[in-house]
Amino acid sequence: MTITVTVNGTKYVRDVEPRTLLAYFLRESLGLTGTHIGCDSSSCGVCVVVMDGERAVKSCTMFAVQADGHEILTVEGLAAGAALHPLQQAFWDQHGLQCGYCTPGMLMTSYVLLGKNPNPSEAEIRDGLSGNLCRCTGYNNIVKAVQQAAATLGAAAREPEAVAS
Amino acid sequence: MFPAAFDYHRAGSVDEAIALLKQYGGDARILAGGQSLIPAMRYRLARPAVLIDINPVSDLGYIRDSDGMLVLGALARDAELERTPKLHDRYPLLADVSAVVADPVVRQMGTVVGSLCHNDPAGDWAVAALASRAQVVVRGAAGTRTVAIDDFLVDSFTTAVADGEMALEAHFPAPPGRNAGSYQKIERKVGDFATASAAAWASLAADGTFAEVGIAIGAAGPTAKRVVAAETLLRGKKPTRELIRAAADEAAKAADPSADGRGSVAYKKAMAGVLVGRALDGTCKRLGIEV
Amino acid sequence: MSTTAEPEPYSIGVAMKRKEDPRFIRGRGNYLDDHSLPGMLHLALVHSPYPHARIVKIDKTAALAVPGVVAVLTGEDLAAHNLAWIPTFHGYDKQMVLCVGKALYQYQEVAGVIATSRDAAHDGAELVDVQYEPLQPVIDPFVSLTDKTLVREDREAKTNHIYHWEVGKRDETDAALAKADVHINERIVFQRCHPAPLEPCGVIADMNPGTGRLTLILTSQAPHAHRTVVSLVTGIPEDKIRIISPDLGGGFGNKVPVYAGYVVAAAASVVLGVPVKWVETRTENLTCTGFARDYHMDVEIGATSDGKVTALKVKTVADHGAFDAAADPTKYPAGLFGIVTGSYDFPTAFTELDAYFTNKAPGGVAYRCSFRVTEASYAIERAMDILASRLKLDPSELRLKNFVRKDQFPYPSPLGFVYDSGDYHTTLKKALNKIGYAELRKEQAEKRARGELMGIGISTFTEAVGAGPSKHFDIMGIKMFDSAEIRVHPTGSAILRAGTKSQGQGHETTWAQIAAEELGLDPQNILVEEGDTDTAPYGLGTYASRSTPVAGAAIAMAARRIREKARIIAAHLLEAPVDDVEWSKHAFNVVGIPDKSITMQQAAFAAYTNPAPDSEPGLEATFYYDPPNLTFPYGAYVAVVDVDQETGFVKVRRFLAIDDCGTVINPMIVEGQIHGGLTEGFAIAFMQEIVYDENGNNLNTNFTDYLVPTSLESPSWETDSTCTPSPHHPIGAKGVGESPNVGSPAAFVNAVMDALSPLGIEHIDMPLTREKVWTAIQAARK
């Protein structure tokens, strides 16, 4: 069937089989390979994307047809051109990635987390990211990255003019 | 893993969903959160010929707190409960559950009603629903009916929802006066099903005795289980250490778990007792009672 | 007293941000499954539900009828191309690609379905009709060793016994044990587990009739070794094979072996003349690919009554599954298990191992460790704690009493290693000090008086990494050197290629840092490439913590060759004799005239524009490094735990890791490696195991059952270091990526056993699940 999905601000009209999972649609129909596949049981979270700006969803546990008429934000949509999103910058600054495979999912889950809880404690961050697995970093630096991003986004919210200048 | 092919229909309203259910009968499954159904389809353990997607139904996601009852529409997501602070005071048992179901991402799609309909023996919401004496509103072509949770949960992965019907709402009563509850869960890690779980809920009479008590355990049989003997011990009494211990022992006795990677029968039964004890302790603490 | 500040590190020792990150944070990584080639087909595999069965018939008809299915391949089809069997990495065995006549473990690959889409391939795979005749499986290695049921009919020797290995002095050790004041003997099991990187394995095989070349885009930790194996197995000359290992989403040893999917995809591509892609599912990853560990070790230590160890004896039964696909150096079927004397000065030691086949998935890969070093470290660190308990000595005291002393290095161990350097006393004392050991013991005493269970566990491991010297080490005959090639461009930047392959370890940054230090260049302008066998110099790849010790050395040495050439150019520019020109403060100057210097950039420019007479233009060098020895990183870890007696839950309250890996190239990257390895050790200690039930069913086929801890379960790690450089390594570095996974399991288990010791519980095997701990407490209380 034909679906219309807005991904990273661009509207796409595509034909899909109902059984095509959203993750494979993004990767293969749209060529957005930043969203990854890591398991069969919805356990690992490397496939997380953001739906309608406010829900982190495991795109391997959703059919592409369900995204019809909705907005999806993937990792490729985080940066504004050359300007990295504070989360991306923070993951880089704090060495919050090693192999990079879990990173898109971590970024998208964190994006929603900070949207709902702009000043999370370490415990809240660890809890909020517990649907995303990482095998490389041991999570310490991922927590630090989210804390840095929270601080940056908090400062920007308080002084938007200063940041823009 | 890749699902087998199926036909997909979108329902724009409950009536449409019911009509589609009538049309396709047992070949069709409702798609709401999909966080249990889709993984099963990826393994091809579930192979519905037809999926009826009710996500487009615009007015099914409500969470209404009125007339001494929390009413959750079929599309009320776990995460929405988790994020509703006022619920944490009035419905602490449900707030507890909403923080430990599955994982924080799955919770953003998963629904309470969907979890009750899926009725995994180790599911969390069923346990809390029993303790809360919840009800489920079911609708079919023949009309609407309200089913008490004890009658709703029939067997593993089986509920009172008949062919051609869908669950519309869940009701969690909150009578006037002081009441509280607590949910305790042992899981090997976040996202694992419970090794053992327990829900306790109680309301306080003016004389400090338990007016009503609900005690249930999960991952302890084909479905979540009400521990009637424990409830009987406590109903109408002031809670004491001895009574709580006795109630916990009843829970361990009543538990009928299967052995699996999460634990042996002996361990799970023992944990049912431990967790009921802790759930009662937590409930008393929230009621401001010292035991 | 003068206070000269430490000079700012130039490149080595700088915590510079990683150069590879920009693509990963943008979701622009190039992992295997991100690649697509025109005309590409997809491969899906069919798996045996039986752990041991004769294959009676395979009917392809229904599968071939699925729209989009192009071909179905079986073991028989592969046999026609001589591809039914391939050699295993360490030469003691061969393995089936697809089942040949029999299935030997549950989920073994039986057939491959090639189709125009992934969905069609999986639809087809479901319809391949295989008739099996189930046979009795052999699951317990202790049953296997009786030879009552044979796992491998194909082998000449009709026995499940694969090999016997031993090293040390048996008689001397037995005698010492016999007359020891104290003699402990414990069965210590390191359970079967699995490396489980987040990115599964896969390949795109492209036999291109236009070029006559077979290209494999392959999840490979060792692309050159794989190229040579593919050539030997297929008969295709190496110049016609190209392996490109792209960005890898983790490896941890899982991407070292050659898997059925790779061979079937390659064969299919050869036959069909189009690219064929295979990406495994998580289930396939956990059930078919290289498992790790599965060692059953009987550990005996003899000691005097005042705590001096006199002898160590370890006898191991090793379970290799249905094929001995352990990737070990040829002369070391049990890897570097001889490191089992650990950090202690044993006067005598002996170890022997017998390996057996069972009806389980094949392997024995080094899961984030040097070959079998984790098993050895765990055994000795557990046993030392058991000894301490028997002697009623504090475990830190027992260790300090028996450590190899700093002045004993280089230390020849009784099991044949020469440890390069170490200062175990200093490192352990630093750890005890930092964690507040004395206060913790006080707190523990108070808690014990109240009946609470708190534990402190120590692990002072030494591991052997950096395989290895050509005298002793080879994989399928190929010596275990590694290589680097560096070329400096006219305008002063450079390209560096190495024979290793990062899977997240940060080589694009750390290799640039080594070269930058040696060459006085900016590491931001040294492009590092790995993984393409067409361009990278031949190397043995990245696993077993060998990259920094071997390739890191090659990089330094290649850079020094360049520096020598550049010195000649500098002398030419300075109009001075070459012997009068020195390299100082990252530039060249005439001895005694420091103000007139030539930078490497200037020398590079001159190499192309104004070469020295009688000298080659250009500026590049290659170095193949044959290490003179292994390196021996070590550490002191302390874990503090609290046990919930009602449920058996163990809370890791604190974990401090002090690591000594010699020279640290990038402290931020090293710290990240420690965090990651500790989390894997934590998982192994508390929740990971691949279990086969008595009927041979694999009970851990996905992340729902094979548990990877989340950010919520994982403790917050504290780290620190000491620095004892390796005397034989060009920059004194030892490697560290796997130390935390090697050293930590014992720290966790020692801590829990310390917590339970008032109840008289001596040992519990990993994983220390809630139930195991609870059961032990219940039994002790009866």
Side-chain angles (χ1 to χ4, degrees):
Chain A
M1 57 183 283
T2 308
I3 59 171
T4 304
V5 194
T6 304
V7 182
N8 302 333
T10 302
K11 200 181 261 199
Y12 296 92
V13 180
R14 292 283 189 279
D15 242 336
V16 291
E17 268 192 72
R19 63 164 156 172
T20 302
L21 297 166
L22 178 61
Y24 287 95
F25 172 74
L26 293 168
R27 290 176 54 78
E28 293 174 358
S29 297
L30 304 186
L32 295 167
T33 56
T35 302
H36 298 145
I37 312 275
C39 76
D40 307 333
S41 51
S42 310
S43 308
C44 75
V46 302
C47 66
V48 173
V49 298
V50 180
M51 191 153 94
D52 299 330
E54 57 170 11
R55 266 202 277 171
V57 299
K58 294 190 171 179
S59 64
C60 75
T61 315
M62 190 171 150
F63 295 109
V65 291
Q66 291 176 260
D68 185 27
H70 289 273
E71 286 177 17
I72 302 288
L73 181 70
T74 71
V75 63
E76 290 97 335
L78 272 185
L84 292 174
H85 188 278
L87 271 168
Q88 292 170 305
Q89 185 66 49
F91 269 72
W92 191 10
D93 291 342
Q94 297 295 334
H95 190 36
L97 64 145
Q98 292 180 26
C99 81
Y101 204 69
C102 77
T103 306
M106 288 287 179
L107 287 168
M108 304 324 285
T109 298
S110 302
Y111 178 92
V112 171
L113 176 93
L114 291 180
K116 302 267 187 274
N117 185 356
N119 202 9
S121 64
E122 171 167 351
E124 286 169 333
I125 294 172
R126 283 181 177 273
D127 182 58
L129 292 180
S130 59
N132 293 71
L133 299 178
C134 175
R135 292 290 277 149
C136 297
T137 69
Y139 304 108
N140 264 38
N141 289 344
I142 291 179
V143 170
K144 282 202 193 142
V146 177
Q147 287 171 326
Q148 176 184 314
T152 309
L153 288 165
R158 287 190 295 278
E159 294 174 71
E161 296 86 46
V163 170
S165 64
Chain B
M1 301 303 227
F2 305 93
F6 57 88
D7 284 332
Y8 172 82
H9 297 275
R10 217 165 261 159
S13 68
V14 174
D15 287 336
E16 236 188 282
I18 304 286
L20 285 164
L21 279 169
K22 184 164 184 209
Q23 184 180 353
Y24 292 106
D27 285 340
R29 294 287 299 270
I30 295 279
L31 174 63
Q35 303 300 289
S36 301
L37 177 61
I38 296 179
M41 290 176 71
R42 289 184 68 193
Y43 277 102
R44 302 194 178 193
L45 294 174
R47 305 175 72 115
V50 176
L51 275 195
I52 300 167
D53 186 355
I54 62 168
N55 287 282
V57 178
S58 56
D59 52 356
L60 266 187
Y62 50 86
I63 300 176
R64 288 199 290 262
D65 182 14
S66 60
D67 300 324
M69 180 134 63
L70 185 70
V71 178
L72 305 178
L75 289 177
R77 313 279 174 185
D78 300 329
E80 281 154 33
L81 264 88
E82 197 184 357
R83 267 189 268 113
T84 313
K86 68 171 182 197
L87 292 182
H88 299 194
D89 296 322
R90 285 178 49 65
Y91 303 94
L93 166 59
L94 304 184
D96 282 351
V97 176
S98 71
V100 299
V101 174
D103 68 55
V105 179
V106 170
R107 290 202 279 276
Q108 297 184 44
M109 276 297 271
T111 65
V112 178
V113 172
S115 171
L116 293 175
C117 291
H118 183 63
N119 202 15
D120 188 295
D124 301 294
W125 286 116
V127 190
L130 280 171
S132 309
R133 295 204 154 69
Q135 299 167 313
V136 182
V137 175
V138 177
R139 184 182 298 179
T144 305
R145 59 202 179 89
T146 301
V147 185
I149 191 69
D150 295 67
D151 300 323
F152 185 81
L153 306 170
V154 171
D155 202 344
S156 298
F157 309 105
T158 315
T159 67
V161 177
D163 274 348
E165 289 186 319
M166 65 174 275
L168 267 193
E169 285 178 354
H171 296 176
F172 291 86
R178 280 160 68 199
N179 61 78
S182 165
Y183 187 67
Q184 301 287 324
K185 177 179 185 179
I186 291 177
E187 53 180 355
R188 297 175 297 176
K189 51 163 277 197
V190 170
D192 195 18
F193 278 107
T195 299
S197 71
W201 181 91
S203 63
L204 226 46
D207 61 357
T209 59
F210 276 168
E212 185 51 271
V213 191
I215 298 174
I217 51 180
T223 77
K225 216 178 169 74
R226 180 183 300 287
V227 189
V228 176
E231 292 173 344
T232 308
L233 270 176
L234 287 163
R235 189 178 290 114
K237 309 262 202 354
K238 266 208 179 85
T240 64
R241 275 257 68 78
E242 294 68 38
L243 275 178
I244 290 178
R245 201 168 294 140
D249 288 343
E250 289 300 332
K253 257 192 275 172
D256 179 30
S258 315
D260 62 19
R262 297 181 192 96
S264 65
V265 169
Y267 181 71
K268 289 184 180 186
K269 280 174 77 78
M271 289 310 104
V274 169
L275 293 187
V276 162
R278 291 183 179 184
L280 286 167
D281 282 342
T283 302
C284 288
K285 191 151 179 232
R286 282 173 171 156
L287 288 169
I289 305 174
E290 285 256 358
V291 279
Chain C
M1 187 173 98
S2 79
T3 44
T4 323
E6 278 280 335
E8 279 292 308
Y10 177 83
S11 177
I12 294 213
V14 174
M16 67 177 277
K17 276 170 28 175
R18 296 197 333 165
K19 298 171 66 192
E20 44 266 86
D21 287 2
R23 64 183 183 274
F24 295 130
I25 56 181
R26 289 188 168 87
R28 307 282 297 256
N30 292 304
Y31 301 95
L32 186 279
D33 199 16
D34 300 342
H35 294 79
S36 199
L37 292 177
M40 191 172 78
L41 299 177
H42 296 263
L43 167 66
L45 296 175
V46 180
H47 298 273
S48 166
Y50 297 102
H52 196 195
R54 217 165 286 286
I55 299 188
V56 175
K57 188 156 119 72
I58 303 180
D59 188 342
K60 308 176 182 180
T61 324
L64 286 167
V66 171
V69 169
V70 168
V72 177
L73 294 179
T74 64
E76 238 180 76
D77 299 314
L78 290 179
H81 296 271
N82 242 332
L83 284 175
W85 292 82
I86 53 173
T88 60
F89 263 120
H90 99 242
Y92 276 78
D93 200 7
K94 57 178 184 172
Q95 61 180 112
M96 295 171 189
V97 173
L98 295 174
C99 293
V100 178
K102 276 174 103 176
L104 295 183
Y105 59 95
Q106 193 186 48
Y107 287 96
Q108 185 178 5
E109 304 92 337
V110 177
V113 176
I114 297 109
T116 52
S117 75
R118 211 194 300 261
D119 280 338
H122 282 265
D123 288 345
E126 219 184 5
L127 294 174
V128 173
D129 185 6
V130 186
Q131 270 178 53
Y132 299 94
E133 191 189 287
L135 301 167
Q136 178 64 33
V138 182
I139 300 304
D140 183 339
F142 291 94
V143 170
S144 171
L145 62 77
T146 67
D147 277 343
K148 236 172 34 186
T149 307
L150 212 57
V151 176
R152 299 281 300 277
E153 286 173 338
D154 61 281
R155 284 171 64 90
E156 226 184 278
K158 300 299 175 200
T159 170
N160 291 326
H161 185 247
I162 313 173
Y163 61 82
H164 172 87
W165 170 81
E166 64 179 61
V167 71
K169 299 193 160 95
R170 183 195 290 273
D171 294 337
E172 187 180 285
T173 302
D174 280 344
L177 286 172
K179 66 180 223 272
D181 296 337
V182 178
H183 176 186
I184 62 134
N185 186 343
E186 190 77 43
R187 164 68 56 86
I188 295 174
V189 180
F190 205 122
Q191 78 278 28
R192 174 180 280 244
C193 34
H194 193 285
L198 275 187
E199 181 209 20
C201 303
V203 67
I204 301 178
D206 180 21
M207 181 68 219
N208 186 326
T211 61
R213 298 189 85 201
L214 173 66
T215 301
L216 301 177
I217 309 178
L218 181 68
T219 52
S220 165
Q221 296 178 228
H224 293 92
H226 283 146
R227 186 189 69 190
T228 304
V229 168
V230 170
S231 177
L232 291 172
V233 161
T234 61
I236 301 172
E238 274 188 275
D239 71 303
K240 304 279 190 294
I241 301 172
R242 179 183 186 191
I243 295 195
I244 302 170
S245 183
D247 286 329
L248 296 179
F252 313 118
N254 191 219
K255 292 170 176 162
V256 167
V258 173
Y259 296 123
Y262 302 161
V263 181
V264 177
S269 182
V270 168
V271 166
L272 299 169
V274 290
V276 177
K277 181 190 244 191
W278 174 71
V279 177
E280 64 174 1
T281 65
R282 177 57 56 189
T283 303
E284 290 172 321
N285 175 258
L286 289 173
T287 57
C288 305
T289 67
F291 76 89
R293 320 279 191 267
D294 217 338
Y295 265 23
H296 305 253
M297 306 172 281
D298 288 318
V299 185
E300 299 179 61
I301 302 182
T304 63
S305 50
D306 66 342
K308 279 300 264 172
V309 298
T310 58
L312 171 71
K313 181 174 181 182
V314 184
K315 182 173 159 69
T316 303
V317 165
D319 184 338
H320 275 281
F323 305 101
D324 180 7
D328 284 304
T330 307
K331 296 200 190 93
Y332 295 82
L336 305 179
F337 191 78
I339 199 67
V340 72
T341 55
S343 310
Y344 312 105
D345 189 12
F346 279 96
T348 183
F350 174 75
T351 184
E352 60 178 330
L353 181 146
D354 291 279
Y356 298 94
F357 291 120
T358 56
N359 289 110
K360 300 176 189 162
V365 293
Y367 164 14
R368 198 175 187 145
C369 66
S370 188
F371 314 99
R372 298 300 183 177
V373 168
T374 321
E375 291 87 323
S377 297
Y378 178 66
I380 185 63
E381 288 304 296
R382 258 317 284 142
M384 286 298 274
D385 253 41
I386 291 170
L387 178 65
S389 172
R390 188 72 58 83
L391 289 167
K392 301 209 194 323
L393 264 182
D394 183 284
S396 67
E397 280 310 308
L398 179 66
R399 286 170 163 83
L400 289 165
K401 212 166 198 165
N402 288 287
F403 276 154
V404 174
R405 292 184 323 270
K406 185 172 177 181
D407 59 87
Q408 287 179 278
F409 289 90
Y411 169 74
S413 85
L415 295 179
F417 290 113
V418 179
Y419 296 15
D420 57 1
S421 66
D423 185 357
Y424 303 143
H425 292 87
T426 299
T427 306
L428 176 57
K429 286 181 179 155
K430 182 169 184 174
L432 297 175
N433 213 356
K434 192 155 188 191
I435 198 97
Y437 190 73
E439 290 71 33
L440 285 170
R441 284 291 179 203
K442 241 199 272 158
E443 182 196 345
Q444 182 183 49
E446 289 161 16
K447 288 203 147 96
R448 276 184 175 160
R450 294 199 298 270
E452 288 170 40
L453 300 178
M454 167 190 165
I456 307 160
I458 297 173
S459 170
T460 49
F461 66 96
T462 293
E463 56 160 355
V465 307
S470 58
K471 198 163 39 163
H472 304 297
F473 293 92
D474 69 87
I475 301 226
M476 298 183 77
I478 306 170
K479 299 297 181 185
M480 296 186 72
F481 53 82
D482 225 283
S483 59
E485 173 193 287
I486 306 174
R487 179 176 309 132
V488 186
H489 306 313
T491 50
S493 57
I495 182 165
L496 184 165
R497 294 180 172 128
T500 44
K501 182 68 185 85
S502 184
Q503 316 111 46
Q505 294 92 329
H507 293 173
E508 286 173 45
T509 306
T510 54
W511 287 177
Q513 287 182 260
I514 297 177
E517 184 76 47
E518 297 286 337
L519 295 174
L521 294 176
D522 184 343
Q524 292 292 353
N525 297 127
I526 300 177
L527 173 68
V528 174
E529 290 186 346
E530 290 176 326
D532 184 341
T533 59
D534 267 6
T535 51
Y538 201 103
L540 271 283
T542 295
Y543 44 83
S545 291
R546 63 184 300 276
S547 299
T548 295
V550 192
I555 291 165
M557 300 305 285
R560 289 173 195 179
R561 276 190 175 156
I562 288 182
R563 211 159 72 209
E564 258 321 289
K565 292 184 179 171
R567 193 159 77 97
I568 295 169
I569 299 169
H572 164 62
L573 296 175
L574 289 166
E575 295 172 325
V578 177
D579 289 339
D580 287 353
V581 173
E582 65 176 1
W583 172 261
S584 158
K585 295 199 173 77
H586 297 97
F588 296 105
N589 59 267
V590 177
V591 175
I593 316 177
D595 297 337
K596 218 168 149 241
S597 64
I598 296 287
T599 62
M600 181 60 70
Q601 285 88 340
Q602 289 170 313
F605 191 69
Y608 294 88
T609 60
N610 180 12
D614 303 326
S615 191
E616 268 183 280
L619 189 55
E620 66 185 71
T622 302
F623 199 101
Y624 279 71
Y625 186 77
D626 182 1
N629 191 3
L630 303 171
T631 60
F632 297 81
Y634 68 95
Y637 293 171
V638 186
V640 183
V641 304
D642 299 291
V643 179
D644 179 341
Q645 303 178 54
E646 281 193 313
T647 63
F649 173 62
V650 177
K651 171 98 189 132
V652 176
R653 199 206 296 177
R654 282 184 76 183
F655 195 102
L656 171 65
I658 311 266
D659 279 275
D660 193 318
C661 61
T663 302
V664 167
I665 302 163
N666 184 322
M668 182 189 73
I669 288 183
V670 168
E671 188 191 59
Q673 290 289 301
I674 305 296
H675 292 164
L678 292 177
T679 306
E680 289 187 328
F682 168 77
I684 289 170
F686 291 107
M687 59 180 79
Q688 275 182 357
E689 189 175 10
I690 298 278
V691 178
Y692 287 80
D693 70 14
E694 68 271 13
N695 297 314
N697 296 306
N698 186 323
L699 303 180
N700 305 85
T701 63
N702 225 298
F703 281 158
T704 45
D705 299 297
Y706 188 71
L707 305 179
V708 173
T710 72
S711 47
L712 202 66
E713 293 85 45
S714 301
S716 188
W717 310 110
E718 303 167 54
T719 63
D720 203 330
S721 64
T722 54
C723 180
T724 315
S726 170
H728 68 76
H729 188 280
I731 65 169
K734 290 187 176 183
V736 75
E738 300 170 318
S739 288
N741 197 13
V742 169
S744 66
F748 293 116
V749 180
N750 284 346
V752 177
M753 300 319 303
D754 182 56
L756 301 180
S757 59
L759 300 173
I761 304 167
E762 201 165 60
H763 181 67
I764 306 174
D765 279 322
M766 302 185 289
L768 297 183
T769 61
R770 286 168 175 77
E771 176 162 359
K772 270 193 184 166
V773 174
W774 177 83
T775 303
I777 295 173
Q778 299 299 305
R781 292 240 150 92
K782 288 219 166 79

